[in-house]
Amino acid sequence: MPSHHLAQVNIALPLEPLGSARLADFVSALAPVNALADAAPGFVWRLETYGGDATAVRAFGDDRILVNMSVWESAEALSDFVFRNPEHAAVMRRRREWFVSMKEAISVLWWIPAGHIPTVAEAEERLDHLRQHGPTPRAFTFRNQFPAPDAQAAPVPADGALRCPAG
């Protein structure tokens, strides 16, 4: 049993309100894609309100921002769902139709002790850390991952390039 799980958050700023015709396809995909995530191998937890999703959560200094936060047993499990699940990938391909293209990082990964449920404030701090310092063991990306604190391996960037620890 792993002693750490992988937390992730990603945020999005909709081009229009969630009730608009422009976002109707996105909104209609929320419940089915969330159900797929809930059933995916390695899934542990996701942020949701009584409505079954997190669209009512307000954070990151802007009430319009949507928050998606979840916990997975491993980076591989999260990656499999995010990039290899056809329904999720279909939604990802359409994100530019629905959301503002933001210049700063909009997603971050970090390791948490197994059993810990991250808070939105914790996610905000990790995303801010990534934006200020780039990928570090505290806050990183799919492209520049770091091993869990109890793992012995060195960081392995997704592109396979070796980097010196200082940058």
Side-chain angles (χ1 to χ4, degrees):
M1 194 69 142
S3 64
H4 287 80
H5 287 157
L6 187 70
Q8 74 78 31
V9 71
N10 61 80
I11 61 172
L13 178 59
L15 290 165
E16 294 182 9
L18 281 179
S20 70
R22 184 178 199 162
L23 269 73
D25 287 348
F26 169 75
V27 171
S28 69
L30 279 173
V33 171
N34 284 339
L36 289 169
D38 293 350
F43 172 83
V44 176
W45 171 89
R46 72 179 164 85
L47 178 65
E48 63 182 306
T49 63
Y50 292 110
D53 59 44
T55 57
V57 174
R58 298 294 168 248
F60 294 88
D62 187 332
D63 285 348
R64 300 169 300 162
I65 287 181
L66 300 179
V67 179
N68 174 303
M69 186 164 56
S70 58
V71 174
W72 296 78
E73 289 179 354
S74 67
E76 294 79 17
L78 174 59
S79 182
D80 282 347
F81 178 74
V82 169
F83 300 113
R84 292 176 193 87
N85 179 284
E87 290 85 354
H88 186 267
V91 170
M92 293 283 291
R93 279 192 299 276
R94 295 186 63 192
R95 67 186 177 270
R96 287 179 181 81
E97 294 177 37
W98 303 316
F99 303 107
V100 172
S101 178
M102 299 171 79
K103 300 219 184 284
E104 293 185 295
I106 60 168
S107 64
V108 64
L109 310 173
W110 71 99
W111 294 105
I112 59 173
H116 173 71
I117 300 298
T119 65
V120 173
E122 185 179 342
E124 287 180 295
E125 186 278 324
R126 299 295 176 134
L127 186 57
D128 186 54
H129 183 89
L130 176 67
R131 288 172 171 177
Q132 289 184 25
H133 304 285
T136 68
R138 180 164 185 75
F140 51 93
T141 64
F142 276 114
R143 180 165 288 178
N144 297 105
Q145 294 181 29
F146 287 81
D150 58 348
Q152 299 299 316
V156 179
D159 62 7
L162 296 178
R163 293 176 176 77
C164 73

